[in-house]
Amino acid sequence: MPKPDWKNRAARARELTSQAPAAAELLRFYVPVLEFQGRVRDAVATRAAADPLRPLRAQLDPALLLPLFPDLFRVVEAHGSPQLREAARTLRGQGEDRWRELLLDYIGGQPATDALAEFFPRACVEPYAEHLAAQLRASTQAIASCPACAGKPMLAVLRPEGEGARRSLVCSFCLTEWEFRRLLCPACGEENEPKLPVYTAEALPYMRVESCDVCRHYVTCVDLSKNGLALPLVDRVAAAALDLWAAEKGYGKVATHLLGL
Ligand SMILES: [Zn+2]
Ligand SMILES: [Zn+2]
């Protein structure tokens, strides 16, 4: 797994705003969010060391993240959608006890009762969980949940290898990337090729929708053998149009991206 670099991710999102006009608005918001996540990474980097014997989620300390919430509110109030700005204003007024509760629910894997409010703990937890997961040596078995935290995959990546490409999945909680067989549905385990159609859009030939006609789930896949400049976490946002298309076809996501895609 490449070393996390939030500065590169923000730079890539900035670059894509002109290349992917359909997702430009989302990407313009994602730039300052990624910059904020870089500040979270810096804040936890010196203070949080991973313990290989304890589950990753149990090692996330909300007290490290609470002081960063006001910074995130500023980012959202300056750049977010009207709904998200409103959610930021409400949360700012509710204070730390409510922020801690949101963090604990998100870390504990509670289903979100308020999808908008979940954006805030998730934006803070991602860089922290990624930082811890990078220190744990993740095994690379072909399992459908994250080997570091048991989270669900939010996207797939194809990396060039020899003549072809090898597939991996990226965790929606800690951003760990792990190897996963190419012809295998991560939601239900289907492995019969005709039941696993792949769709691409002409405008974004390095993005694929990898779907399953048995369980009707899909993951968006970033094909690095077709575009070596892509950063999967960021480029995935540029494929927002594919999500609309998949939803029309009746496919559902295995797990969402921070921006709700
Ligand atoms: Zn994970
Ligand atoms: Zn399936």
Side-chain angles (χ1 to χ4, degrees):
M1 185 177 167
K3 205 166 147 277
D5 186 337
W6 294 92
K7 280 203 181 72
N8 280 346
R9 287 171 177 164
R12 179 65 182 160
R14 199 173 284 116
E15 198 173 279
L16 281 174
T17 51
S18 54
Q19 291 171 20
E25 202 175 315
L26 263 181
L27 286 159
R28 264 195 292 275
F29 170 56
Y30 202 19
V31 172
V33 171
L34 289 164
E35 287 166 348
F36 163 78
Q37 292 186 296
R39 295 193 288 280
V40 175
R41 164 70 173 68
D42 292 343
V44 300
T46 52
R47 303 183 54 190
D51 174 352
L53 298 177
R54 290 170 62 215
L56 183 143
R57 286 170 191 255
Q59 299 184 47
L60 292 162
D61 177 5
L64 281 187
L65 297 176
L66 288 173
L68 298 158
F69 268 66
D71 184 5
L72 180 57
F73 295 146
R74 271 191 297 276
V75 168
V76 170
E77 283 166 11
H79 305 279
S81 66
Q83 301 90 315
L84 210 52
R85 287 207 297 269
E86 180 62 39
R89 272 192 293 274
T90 306
L91 283 174
R92 186 193 282 281
Q94 287 172 329
E96 280 200 11
D97 285 346
R98 171 72 177 138
W99 310 343
R100 185 180 296 104
E101 183 182 88
L102 280 173
L103 281 167
L104 289 172
D105 282 355
Y106 180 65
I107 291 169
Q110 300 289 330
T113 47
D114 178 347
L116 272 180
E118 193 184 79
F119 170 83
F120 297 89
R122 184 169 176 182
C124 293
V125 166
E126 268 185 359
Y128 185 6
E130 183 184 40
H131 169 68
L132 292 180
Q135 299 169 57
L136 304 170
R137 208 182 47 207
S139 67
T140 52
Q141 315 157 31
I143 54 168
S145 55
C146 170
C149 79
K152 288 184 185 164
M154 66 169 160
L155 66 116
V157 181
L158 282 174
R159 293 187 179 275
E161 186 181 60
E163 302 275 288
R166 123 184 104 73
R167 181 163 81 144
S168 45
L169 300 176
V170 177
C171 177
S172 57
F173 187 84
C174 76
L175 310 180
T176 287
E177 188 177 322
W178 74 98
E179 267 183 62
F180 196 73
R181 259 173 50 203
R182 252 184 106 152
L183 287 171
L184 183 61
C185 169
C188 76
E190 178 61 40
E191 49 189 352
N192 182 12
E193 187 168 1
K195 294 268 200 276
L196 301 170
V198 170
Y199 304 94
T200 50
E202 229 170 275
L204 287 166
Y206 69 105
M207 296 287 187
R208 306 146 46 97
V209 166
E210 299 181 341
S211 59
C212 172
D213 283 339
V214 176
C215 70
R216 307 297 294 173
H217 281 94
Y218 76 99
V219 280
T220 305
C221 177
V222 182
D223 186 347
L224 298 177
S225 70
K226 297 217 170 97
N227 183 345
L229 293 174
L231 293 178
L233 182 71
V234 181
D235 281 70
R236 191 258 169 274
V237 177
L242 284 176
D243 291 282
L244 290 177
W245 176 88
E248 275 167 25
K249 283 257 186 180
Y251 293 117
K253 277 178 276 275
V254 180
T256 58
H257 182 277
L258 171 68
L259 299 190
L261 296 164

